[in-house]
Amino acid sequence: MNLNGKCAVVTGGGRGIGKAICLKLGGLGADVAAVDILRPEAAATAKEVETLGRKAVAVACDVSSPAEVRAMFAEVVDSLGGVHILVNNAGITRDNLMMRMSDDDWNKVIDVNLSGAFNCCREASRYFLKQRFGRVVNVSSVVGLMGNAGQVNYSASKAGIIGLTKSVAKELATRGVTANVVAPGYIDTDMTRAISEEARSTLISLIPVAKLGKVDDVADVVAFLVSDDANYITGQVINVDGGMLM
Ligand code: NDP
């Protein structure tokens, strides 16, 4: 598997799963744009990718802003010379029981997780259609498939990502573009480190392999889906959840 000659945009590339994806794709030969709200985090990821011998750029961008997304793609293409791979990984949580959930917490999570993925897919498609090639991987979640008390906003955004991806896959299928979803279960990152010890043990008891996943478990599947080995796979949801949804 190699990604030589490919340029990848990874949103939320500053830390967690996104950072692992940047390093994995860079390790396989892709040039990488690490996109994050915070430039220092993205810059640190880009520096690490450069140590692998690849070109890398850090771009500050709030994916919920269509204007910032447009400018981000222009900057990436200017710096790296093109874009062939898009990984929509940026995501946030604002958990609360539905009765107590504010309009702001609902809107913010939908804006970043779902509209952010849409903004990036729409912009990337301009480049993908012209070159008759593109790979999209959108990061959903096991709770987008199962639902979760306290996460109506997050679960809805992650379920929406699946419908978005399947539609993108159908719209662009004849143009050399594939679009797939990776749905992680509980992965050890800042997002899940916020969970209490007690809730963590309960969670682990629900996972057949009896442990949280690692960021590389997700990055490895993303790398496969954007590689030539996955040329004939589109519109699929791959669960990376230690058997949790099974
Ligand atoms: P983290 O919270 O560790 O990282 C999320 C990244 O997204 C950060 O780099 C963050 O930037 C960035 N980000 C947040 N908002 C925006 C925005 N508006 N525009 C651009 N970038 C943004 O999350 P994880 O690594 O744990 O999760 C990555 C993805 O995987 C998310 O989509 C998440 O929903 C999904 N996921 C995670 C699971 C887990 O168990 N960890 C399970 C299932 C799915 P900043 O550093 O500036 O905050």
Side-chain angles (χ1 to χ4, degrees), residues 117-131:
F118 162 71
N119 292 335
C120 292
C121 284
R122 183 175 57 181
E123 198 56 27
S125 72
R126 297 186 208 282
Y127 300 93
F128 292 172
L129 286 172
K130 240 182 251 165
Q131 68 204 16

PDB file of all heavy atoms in Angstrom, residues 117-131:
ATOM      1  N   ALA A 117     -18.451  18.635   7.552  1.00  0.00           N
ATOM      2  CA  ALA A 117     -18.130  17.560   6.585  1.00  0.00           C
ATOM      3  C   ALA A 117     -18.718  17.899   5.216  1.00  0.00           C
ATOM      4  O   ALA A 117     -18.066  17.707   4.187  1.00  0.00           O
ATOM      5  CB  ALA A 117     -18.666  16.229   7.098  1.00  0.00           C
ATOM      6  N   PHE A 118     -19.939  18.427   5.208  1.00  0.00           N
ATOM      7  CA  PHE A 118     -20.557  18.830   3.937  1.00  0.00           C
ATOM      8  C   PHE A 118     -19.730  19.927   3.250  1.00  0.00           C
ATOM      9  O   PHE A 118     -19.440  19.844   2.052  1.00  0.00           O
ATOM     10  CB  PHE A 118     -21.999  19.315   4.172  1.00  0.00           C
ATOM     11  CG  PHE A 118     -22.534  20.121   3.018  1.00  0.00           C
ATOM     12  CD1 PHE A 118     -22.837  19.518   1.803  1.00  0.00           C
ATOM     13  CD2 PHE A 118     -22.711  21.496   3.131  1.00  0.00           C
ATOM     14  CE1 PHE A 118     -23.306  20.270   0.723  1.00  0.00           C
ATOM     15  CE2 PHE A 118     -23.179  22.252   2.070  1.00  0.00           C
ATOM     16  CZ  PHE A 118     -23.476  21.637   0.859  1.00  0.00           C
ATOM     17  N   ASN A 119     -19.366  20.960   4.017  1.00  0.00           N
ATOM     18  CA  ASN A 119     -18.593  22.071   3.432  1.00  0.00           C
ATOM     19  C   ASN A 119     -17.324  21.557   2.756  1.00  0.00           C
ATOM     20  O   ASN A 119     -16.966  21.981   1.655  1.00  0.00           O
ATOM     21  CB  ASN A 119     -18.201  23.084   4.522  1.00  0.00           C
ATOM     22  CG  ASN A 119     -19.404  23.835   5.077  1.00  0.00           C
ATOM     23  OD1 ASN A 119     -20.423  23.973   4.402  1.00  0.00           O
ATOM     24  ND2 ASN A 119     -19.297  24.306   6.322  1.00  0.00           N
ATOM     25  N   CYS A 120     -16.649  20.623   3.443  1.00  0.00           N
ATOM     26  CA  CYS A 120     -15.374  20.113   2.892  1.00  0.00           C
ATOM     27  C   CYS A 120     -15.619  19.198   1.702  1.00  0.00           C
ATOM     28  O   CYS A 120     -14.881  19.255   0.709  1.00  0.00           O
ATOM     29  CB  CYS A 120     -14.579  19.396   3.980  1.00  0.00           C
ATOM     30  SG  CYS A 120     -13.965  20.518   5.254  1.00  0.00           S
ATOM     31  N   CYS A 121     -16.656  18.344   1.770  1.00  0.00           N
ATOM     32  CA  CYS A 121     -16.956  17.458   0.631  1.00  0.00           C
ATOM     33  C   CYS A 121     -17.295  18.296  -0.601  1.00  0.00           C
ATOM     34  O   CYS A 121     -16.823  18.020  -1.710  1.00  0.00           O
ATOM     35  CB  CYS A 121     -18.155  16.553   0.938  1.00  0.00           C
ATOM     36  SG  CYS A 121     -17.772  15.191   2.039  1.00  0.00           S
ATOM     37  N   ARG A 122     -18.122  19.330  -0.396  1.00  0.00           N
ATOM     38  CA  ARG A 122     -18.550  20.155  -1.544  1.00  0.00           C
ATOM     39  C   ARG A 122     -17.346  20.839  -2.191  1.00  0.00           C
ATOM     40  O   ARG A 122     -17.209  20.837  -3.411  1.00  0.00           O
ATOM     41  CB  ARG A 122     -19.565  21.208  -1.072  1.00  0.00           C
ATOM     42  CG  ARG A 122     -20.101  22.056  -2.204  1.00  0.00           C
ATOM     43  CD  ARG A 122     -21.180  22.996  -1.736  1.00  0.00           C
ATOM     44  NE  ARG A 122     -20.729  23.871  -0.652  1.00  0.00           N
ATOM     45  CZ  ARG A 122     -21.499  24.768  -0.061  1.00  0.00           C
ATOM     46  NH1 ARG A 122     -22.764  24.904  -0.429  1.00  0.00           N
ATOM     47  NH2 ARG A 122     -21.024  25.521   0.917  1.00  0.00           N
ATOM     48  N   GLU A 123     -16.476  21.383  -1.351  1.00  0.00           N
ATOM     49  CA  GLU A 123     -15.319  22.099  -1.891  1.00  0.00           C
ATOM     50  C   GLU A 123     -14.342  21.125  -2.552  1.00  0.00           C
ATOM     51  O   GLU A 123     -13.838  21.394  -3.654  1.00  0.00           O
ATOM     52  CB  GLU A 123     -14.645  22.882  -0.752  1.00  0.00           C
ATOM     53  CG  GLU A 123     -13.722  23.973  -1.196  1.00  0.00           C
ATOM     54  CD  GLU A 123     -14.385  25.000  -2.130  1.00  0.00           C
ATOM     55  OE1 GLU A 123     -15.611  25.214  -2.074  1.00  0.00           O
ATOM     56  OE2 GLU A 123     -13.642  25.571  -2.950  1.00  0.00           O
ATOM     57  N   ALA A 124     -14.098  19.988  -1.899  1.00  0.00           N
ATOM     58  CA  ALA A 124     -13.144  19.007  -2.458  1.00  0.00           C
ATOM     59  C   ALA A 124     -13.654  18.481  -3.795  1.00  0.00           C
ATOM     60  O   ALA A 124     -12.864  18.202  -4.705  1.00  0.00           O
ATOM     61  CB  ALA A 124     -12.948  17.857  -1.481  1.00  0.00           C
ATOM     62  N   SER A 125     -14.976  18.351  -3.919  1.00  0.00           N
ATOM     63  CA  SER A 125     -15.529  17.756  -5.136  1.00  0.00           C
ATOM     64  C   SER A 125     -15.188  18.583  -6.373  1.00  0.00           C
ATOM     65  O   SER A 125     -15.062  18.049  -7.467  1.00  0.00           O
ATOM     66  CB  SER A 125     -17.044  17.554  -5.019  1.00  0.00           C
ATOM     67  OG  SER A 125     -17.706  18.800  -5.074  1.00  0.00           O
ATOM     68  N   ARG A 126     -15.012  19.896  -6.198  1.00  0.00           N
ATOM     69  CA  ARG A 126     -14.619  20.736  -7.349  1.00  0.00           C
ATOM     70  C   ARG A 126     -13.295  20.226  -7.928  1.00  0.00           C
ATOM     71  O   ARG A 126     -13.116  20.156  -9.142  1.00  0.00           O
ATOM     72  CB  ARG A 126     -14.403  22.192  -6.922  1.00  0.00           C
ATOM     73  CG  ARG A 126     -15.633  22.866  -6.379  1.00  0.00           C
ATOM     74  CD  ARG A 126     -15.323  24.354  -6.128  1.00  0.00           C
ATOM     75  NE  ARG A 126     -16.147  24.881  -5.050  1.00  0.00           N
ATOM     76  CZ  ARG A 126     -17.416  25.223  -5.197  1.00  0.00           C
ATOM     77  NH1 ARG A 126     -17.993  25.104  -6.359  1.00  0.00           N
ATOM     78  NH2 ARG A 126     -18.109  25.689  -4.168  1.00  0.00           N
ATOM     79  N   TYR A 127     -12.356  19.908  -7.042  1.00  0.00           N
ATOM     80  CA  TYR A 127     -11.036  19.425  -7.484  1.00  0.00           C
ATOM     81  C   TYR A 127     -11.133  17.971  -7.959  1.00  0.00           C
ATOM     82  O   TYR A 127     -10.557  17.596  -8.972  1.00  0.00           O
ATOM     83  CB  TYR A 127     -10.022  19.540  -6.332  1.00  0.00           C
ATOM     84  CG  TYR A 127      -9.855  20.967  -5.847  1.00  0.00           C
ATOM     85  CD1 TYR A 127     -10.612  21.470  -4.794  1.00  0.00           C
ATOM     86  CD2 TYR A 127      -8.954  21.826  -6.488  1.00  0.00           C
ATOM     87  CE1 TYR A 127     -10.474  22.785  -4.361  1.00  0.00           C
ATOM     88  CE2 TYR A 127      -8.807  23.139  -6.064  1.00  0.00           C
ATOM     89  CZ  TYR A 127      -9.577  23.616  -5.004  1.00  0.00           C
ATOM     90  OH  TYR A 127      -9.439  24.923  -4.595  1.00  0.00           O
ATOM     91  N   PHE A 128     -11.884  17.154  -7.203  1.00  0.00           N
ATOM     92  CA  PHE A 128     -11.980  15.726  -7.526  1.00  0.00           C
ATOM     93  C   PHE A 128     -12.621  15.507  -8.905  1.00  0.00           C
ATOM     94  O   PHE A 128     -12.189  14.668  -9.682  1.00  0.00           O
ATOM     95  CB  PHE A 128     -12.792  14.987  -6.458  1.00  0.00           C
ATOM     96  CG  PHE A 128     -12.129  14.909  -5.095  1.00  0.00           C
ATOM     97  CD1 PHE A 128     -12.816  14.412  -3.993  1.00  0.00           C
ATOM     98  CD2 PHE A 128     -10.808  15.309  -4.916  1.00  0.00           C
ATOM     99  CE1 PHE A 128     -12.214  14.320  -2.751  1.00  0.00           C
ATOM    100  CE2 PHE A 128     -10.195  15.234  -3.676  1.00  0.00           C
ATOM    101  CZ  PHE A 128     -10.902  14.738  -2.589  1.00  0.00           C
ATOM    102  N   LEU A 129     -13.672  16.274  -9.188  1.00  0.00           N
ATOM    103  CA  LEU A 129     -14.381  16.093 -10.459  1.00  0.00           C
ATOM    104  C   LEU A 129     -13.485  16.453 -11.637  1.00  0.00           C
ATOM    105  O   LEU A 129     -13.473  15.753 -12.649  1.00  0.00           O
ATOM    106  CB  LEU A 129     -15.652  16.944 -10.481  1.00  0.00           C
ATOM    107  CG  LEU A 129     -16.797  16.402  -9.610  1.00  0.00           C
ATOM    108  CD1 LEU A 129     -17.941  17.405  -9.532  1.00  0.00           C
ATOM    109  CD2 LEU A 129     -17.297  15.075 -10.167  1.00  0.00           C
ATOM    110  N   LYS A 130     -12.720  17.533 -11.472  1.00  0.00           N
ATOM    111  CA  LYS A 130     -11.842  17.980 -12.555  1.00  0.00           C
ATOM    112  C   LYS A 130     -10.786  16.923 -12.873  1.00  0.00           C
ATOM    113  O   LYS A 130     -10.484  16.655 -14.026  1.00  0.00           O
ATOM    114  CB  LYS A 130     -11.157  19.297 -12.150  1.00  0.00           C
ATOM    115  CG  LYS A 130     -11.487  20.434 -13.113  1.00  0.00           C
ATOM    116  CD  LYS A 130     -10.778  21.705 -12.726  1.00  0.00           C
ATOM    117  CE  LYS A 130     -11.796  22.708 -12.186  1.00  0.00           C
ATOM    118  NZ  LYS A 130     -11.197  23.826 -11.460  1.00  0.00           N
ATOM    119  N   GLN A 131     -10.240  16.310 -11.799  1.00  0.00           N
ATOM    120  CA  GLN A 131      -9.138  15.357 -12.040  1.00  0.00           C
ATOM    121  C   GLN A 131      -9.632  13.911 -12.131  1.00  0.00           C
ATOM    122  O   GLN A 131      -8.841  12.990 -12.319  1.00  0.00           O
ATOM    123  CB  GLN A 131      -8.072  15.480 -10.934  1.00  0.00           C
ATOM    124  CG  GLN A 131      -8.540  15.012  -9.565  1.00  0.00           C
ATOM    125  CD  GLN A 131      -7.767  15.637  -8.415  1.00  0.00           C
ATOM    126  OE1 GLN A 131      -7.068  16.631  -8.578  1.00  0.00           O
ATOM    127  NE2 GLN A 131      -7.893  15.070  -7.230  1.00  0.00           N
TER     128      GLN A 131
END
